[in-house]
Amino acid sequence: MKSILQSKEMSIVAIVVLLSITLSFVSPAFLTFENIFDILKGNAVLGILAVGMTLVIITGGIDVSVAAVTTAVCVMAGKFLTVLPDSPISILLLFIVAPLIGVLLGALNGILVSKIQIPAIVVTLGTMSMINGIILYLTNGTYLNSTSFPKIFVDFANFQIFGVSVIVFIFAIIAVGTWYILKYTVIGREVLAVGGNKESSIRAGINFDKVQIFVYGYMGLLAGIAAIAQLSYTKAVDPNGLLGFELQVIAAVVLGGANILGGRGSIMGTFLGVLLLGIMQNGLILARIDIFWQKVVVGTIILIAVSYDQIQYKRSKDKLAKIEVEA
Amino acid sequence: MKALSKESILGLIALGLIVVMSVLAPGFLSSQNITNMMFQIPEFGLIALGMMVVIVTGGINLSITYTAALAGVAIALMQSNGYPMLLSILVGIVVGLVCGYINGFIVSKIGVSSILVTLGTMVLFEGIVLSLTKGNSISGFSESYSLIGNGYYMGLVPLSIIIFILFAILTGVLLTKSKWGRSVYMVGSNPIATLFSGVNNSKILMGVYMYSALLASIAAIIMTSRYNMAKVDLGSSYLLQSVAAAVLGGTAIEGGYGKVMGTVYAVVIFQVLSSGLNLLEVPRSIVGVITGAILIFVLIINFAKAKFDEKKQKKMQEANAA
Amino acid sequence: MTEYLLQMNHISKTFPGVKALDNVMLEVKPGEVHALIGENGAGKSTLIKILAGIYAPDPGAEFYFEGKEAGIHKPIDATLKGISIIYQDLSLFPNLSVAENIYMGRESTSKSWKKIDWKKIEETAEKALKELDVQVDLNMPVEKLSIAQQQLIEIARALAFDAKLIVMDEPTSSLSAGEVEKLYKVINDLKRKGIAIIFVSHKLKELFTVSDRFTVLRDGKFVGTYETNDLDEDKLITLMVGRQVLYEKNQGIIKAGNTIFEVKGLSKEGNFRDISFELKQGEVLGITGLVGSGRTELAQAIFGVNRPFTGEIKINGETVKVRSSEDAVKKGIAYIPESRKTQGLILQQSIINNISLPVLKTLRNALGLINRKKETALADHYVETLDVRPALPKMEAGQLSGGNQQKVVIGKWLSTKPKILIIDEPTNGIDIGAKTEIHKLLRKLASEGMGVIVISSELPEVLAVSDRILVMRHGKIAGELSINEATQENIMNYALLGSKQTGVHRENPDLGEERGIPM
């Protein structure tokens, strides 16, 4: 397992390191403890979602409804928070309710993909458009801000451990936890097996439908948790705040070396992909480059990464010479 | 009796919907509403057709609306800097075609899957538009330019709908009657067998992405002219809607099938729904919900029908065998 | 208690329109290597799929394993009961490690959240590999291994499941000679452990080397089960085809014309090397050799879809460059690929659309649009002259039988009026009647002046259609035989040993070293 991913992940590490060195020359503010953790905090929502998306993409699927689901959970959980008392129980309740809503929405995608056999992109486009419409209808696009939340939540959102925001810890727990699931549980191995070779996995008795429902449900769960992170980060509910965010999530996963056709992908790679996007954004700001150029850079990097990957793949396939030709 | 085609059924649904809306929604048949609908259909319709052509090859074009935005911004920048209208339009179309060429090149020559390529170019084109416009909207079009999106032919039929009809016919003729169009369906059905039949697949795919971009650019001309401005989110709401319209119109998402008429009917259905519901004072947001619901519902029906046909066929064969 | 490990009786399987298996039986003893043999379409793979739990047999079947009702309903049931199937395309997970591949499937009945015990996985894998005496890095992803190594991983997986019966489906089809020998050793070890092996293969020589008994199927029916000692090749062939000689040997060319096609020094790394030959007008050139000897790669290079390569191609004495399949059509080269369903035809499109595809350019009217009338006429013409049944040009190509599909593909290429027609395994999976028809057609096309190259593994077929035969071996031309001197024996000698010398057949036990013989 390690050897193939290592090479791929190493190249992302190299890019991240190179970029960091360049940036620390451009701005001394870059390589500070505060700045690094700010980057992580700022990209925690992206990171949590990308971790979930990694699983979906490993199975060869895709979920473009993640941003909509996250926003839906934000809106509902936000509403829910406003009626909660100012007590620690509220935080606990939030951590029960938000993931639960996410799982339900995600499982809906999973069932449509696995049982009705609708292509994932179409299903999630459909649910995305429905969820976005419902959010817009219910909220009318209005913003909720921190004054409506119980004080305990604001405290929670500002909470730091050793000077590191609780949001970063949530991200870390999700990343490590998902890594553990992928590596050490039956279902995690089944996700990789299904992505590696569907036919073989059926022959090995793996329930393909179950694996699909799991990955979309898990994606939903993480969207629920990402919603908590988003609420904590912005201390507000913005029904339009994450519009189009799903593409950034997919971009991070793809940059992290996952293959859209399934089988390849790792949490470490995705983490690096998120980091790369985050550092780039941060760097452009530090270098005082017009924020608008950021997307040009990201788009170009995505195109180069996927093209390079494809060319490498073709080459390795050509090398597997089919015939021992006699000299 | 010959069974009705998928497209004809869709046409009947569209017709039925128009009848229902005329009864339910006050003012649906008013000339104002009809004109409104006719002004709105072209831009959405063109983008939906551009999306359909790509889906027929088994791909998807996520950068189609930003291609439109980039073409629109190019036209706006040219005109606001005093260049003549025709030259500006030409430059806009060329900019769109370059976008299509980039997609086509990476998909057909390098062989990257279209969803990844167009995801990348989507971010790239959006970035370029943002960098060009600094996030602002650009206006300053000539008066004659605004006629394209707002004018009438013979004082009755909006010009834009005529442009749309012309392009719909062109697309239909190209797809069904030209060598390129036939090959598009073949590549979508089985790229290897098509290649082994002496077809240059990469040329065909290049054509598809260029044509998709051309339709996006035409849509951009109509949109910028109608709104009298160009900005980054020009037509961006049409991205997912256009996929929905193509799929609702019967286009197979895995490629190989899709007809212009199906997509046109689907566009009409979406437009009638959206206008009708609007007149019924249903909030705009709910229209999005209905769009998504229809999309999934149609696919569930397709699935159920396929299962049913399979069973029927099996039964018939068993009966034959017995 | 029965002496048989596996007993399958009264096995029938009906598919829509075909009876793939008709009252077949298969009985396997512990510790024996049992060859399952038959022509393409004889029902071998259907029988294996029933054994594997992929297909359910028709009612009335008796299926016992270890004396008990087998109760196999899905693939994993078979594995867990001790029947491991090693498919030709293998059932591995390329992205997972060797160890995990060997272990995969054991947790299929466990709870999703059960913790994976990596130590146990490694121990299990290590033990299985040790039993096989194979050394590979347990953590290596399987995609980095050679096909032969991957196959050993599959065998190790079977051992890890305590398999009592291992089915090997064409296991040597992509192995080199040395690897085949290693496989035989492994098989012998397995036998010694009391594990039974069902060996499915087309290669007669190979089967005589490894098997204890044979079960022969023909046209979905059971022919018989025989001890290897009671059989020889001729007898076996008779049993398989039902008569002594399948086709009449071609009587040779009446009059050959000028050289219309020539290749000189064609080489492509890992594909073929220094290939030169010429083709005369009116001649059918057979190219044979073992699967994997580079025949298809050569044909696809000539057709412009396997590039780049070095060397020269001449048509009518003129050097041409074929850069793409489109180019090939322009230059008058037609190539009918081996896999009809994935490369030859677009199954979900109509017969018309398939036939006209390479010549759409010529069917255009003044406006550059396709003239539907002309197109239909073209399709009608070929449907009629080639006798495609049913003669419904609007029908989807996928709904035709194999033989009729092949006729559509041939029609498609005849429509391009090719100068050179290359046809790869022309009768693969086609019933005997249609085969003879296609052979006649190829002869006729040649006699009308087309240069025809037939690539085939079926020696009787090669002998039936060719005027001249090239034998390929390891990417090179090992020998050339005129139809008058060619026999199955001397072709085989070229294919296996690279020389024409005779007397190396059954008497020579070392033959197992070489790749088997395709039939």
Side-chain angles (χ1 to χ4, degrees), chain A residues 17-304:
Chain A
V17 169
L18 245 129
L19 195 61
S20 304
I21 293 173
T22 321
L23 285 174
S24 49
F25 277 114
V26 171
S27 159
F30 176 75
L31 216 59
T32 59
F33 178 83
E34 263 178 19
N35 188 47
I36 298 294
F37 280 98
D38 271 350
I39 293 175
L40 285 176
K41 185 181 171 190
N43 289 285
V45 175
L46 175 68
I48 294 168
L49 293 175
V51 163
M53 188 68 83
T54 308
L55 265 57
V56 175
I57 288 182
I58 286 177
T59 64
I62 195 141
D63 185 350
V64 294
S65 72
V66 276
V69 171
T70 309
T71 309
V73 179
C74 271
V75 167
M76 285 189 257
K79 217 37 174 211
F80 184 59
L81 267 180
T82 57
V83 299
L84 286 181
D86 191 12
S87 131
I89 297 209
S90 302
I91 301 297
L92 186 68
L93 280 174
L94 179 66
F95 269 91
I96 294 170
V97 171
L100 198 68
I101 303 169
V103 168
L104 289 176
L105 292 172
L108 176 70
N109 282 331
I111 288 166
L112 289 170
V113 170
S114 65
K115 298 289 179 196
I116 316 285
Q117 294 164 19
I118 309 175
I121 178 126
V122 181
V123 168
T124 52
L125 272 180
T127 49
M128 167 190 176
S129 132
M130 285 166 72
I131 294 168
N132 274 340
I134 293 171
I135 296 167
L136 218 65
Y137 176 69
L138 293 179
T139 62
N140 242 331
T142 48
Y143 210 82
L144 267 181
N145 62 31
S146 59
T147 51
S148 0
F149 297 146
K151 190 175 162 296
I152 181 96
F153 178 74
V154 180
D155 289 344
F156 167 78
N158 290 331
F159 189 65
Q160 293 191 339
I161 305 163
F162 306 123
V164 176
S165 163
V166 69
I167 301 170
V168 175
F169 280 97
I170 295 178
F171 175 30
I173 291 167
I174 293 300
V176 173
T178 310
W179 170 81
Y180 180 88
I181 290 173
L182 266 187
K183 173 94 187 170
Y184 286 107
T185 67
V186 171
I187 187 78
R189 299 320 289 174
E190 287 179 348
V191 167
L192 280 159
V194 160
N197 186 335
K198 188 184 162 191
E199 186 68 33
S200 297
S201 70
I202 292 170
R203 286 176 189 165
I206 293 172
N207 184 339
F208 187 63
D209 287 0
K210 181 191 79 180
V211 174
Q212 281 195 314
I213 294 175
F214 167 74
V215 291
Y216 290 96
Y218 191 75
M219 179 78 255
L221 175 87
L222 294 200
I225 293 169
I228 299 176
Q230 174 76 358
L231 282 173
S232 311
Y233 186 62
T234 59
K235 298 186 194 71
V237 175
D238 176 3
N240 296 315
L242 290 175
L243 229 52
F245 196 61
E246 61 275 354
L247 296 170
Q248 227 171 313
V249 174
I250 296 168
V253 178
V254 169
L255 280 182
N259 186 315
I260 206 93
L261 302 171
R264 274 184 297 164
S266 70
I267 301 303
M268 191 59 199
T270 296
F271 174 75
L272 289 169
V274 171
L275 204 62
L276 184 57
L277 283 181
I279 290 178
M280 218 146 52
Q281 190 171 359
N282 183 261
L284 288 167
I285 294 169
L286 290 179
R288 293 170 208 287
I289 292 171
D290 195 338
I291 183 80
F292 300 126
W293 284 101
Q294 188 195 318
K295 291 217 163 178
V296 177
V297 175
V298 173
T300 311
I301 287 184
I302 293 175
L303 289 177
I304 292 172

Side-chain angles (χ1 to χ4, degrees), chain B residues 63-239:
Chain B
S63 66
I64 192 166
T65 56
Y66 287 106
T67 300
L70 194 53
V73 165
I75 297 171
L77 283 175
M78 290 283 289
Q79 288 211 35
S80 58
N81 283 314
Y83 289 97
M85 182 180 87
L86 280 179
L87 180 66
S88 312
I89 290 179
L90 200 69
V91 168
I93 291 177
V94 169
V95 166
L97 288 177
V98 168
C99 294
Y101 184 84
I102 296 173
N103 283 332
F105 181 83
I106 304 177
V107 170
S108 73
K109 302 278 186 218
I110 302 185
V112 183
S113 74
S114 66
I115 185 165
L116 288 183
V117 176
T118 56
L119 174 70
T121 51
M122 169 184 185
V123 180
L124 175 66
F125 299 159
E126 184 189 2
I128 295 175
V129 174
L130 278 172
S131 309
L132 287 172
T133 62
K134 310 283 171 223
N136 302 319
S137 61
I138 299 178
S139 47
F141 296 106
S142 60
E143 217 158 276
S144 47
Y145 185 75
S146 87
L147 275 179
I148 301 172
N150 299 307
Y152 292 86
Y153 176 71
M154 316 249 294
L156 189 68
V157 188
L159 263 179
S160 57
I161 198 124
I162 292 176
I163 296 175
F164 170 61
I165 290 170
L166 288 178
F167 272 96
I169 293 172
L170 176 69
T171 311
V173 169
L174 282 176
L175 281 183
T176 56
K177 303 258 185 235
S178 80
K179 175 173 176 278
W180 171 74
R182 179 68 68 75
S183 308
V184 168
Y185 288 105
M186 296 292 170
V187 169
S189 300
N190 182 342
I192 295 176
T194 307
L195 177 72
F196 276 46
S197 300
V199 174
N200 187 337
N201 287 8
S202 75
K203 233 194 252 171
I204 302 298
L205 284 175
M206 181 61 92
V208 163
Y209 286 89
M210 301 271 279
Y211 189 72
S212 180
L214 172 72
L215 292 181
S217 313
I218 305 295
I221 295 169
I222 293 175
M223 282 188 284
T224 46
S225 154
R226 196 157 82 87
Y227 307 140
N228 196 28
M229 57 142 194
K231 62 181 184 127
V232 68
D233 62 353
L234 187 73
S236 62
S237 64
Y238 292 130
L239 173 57

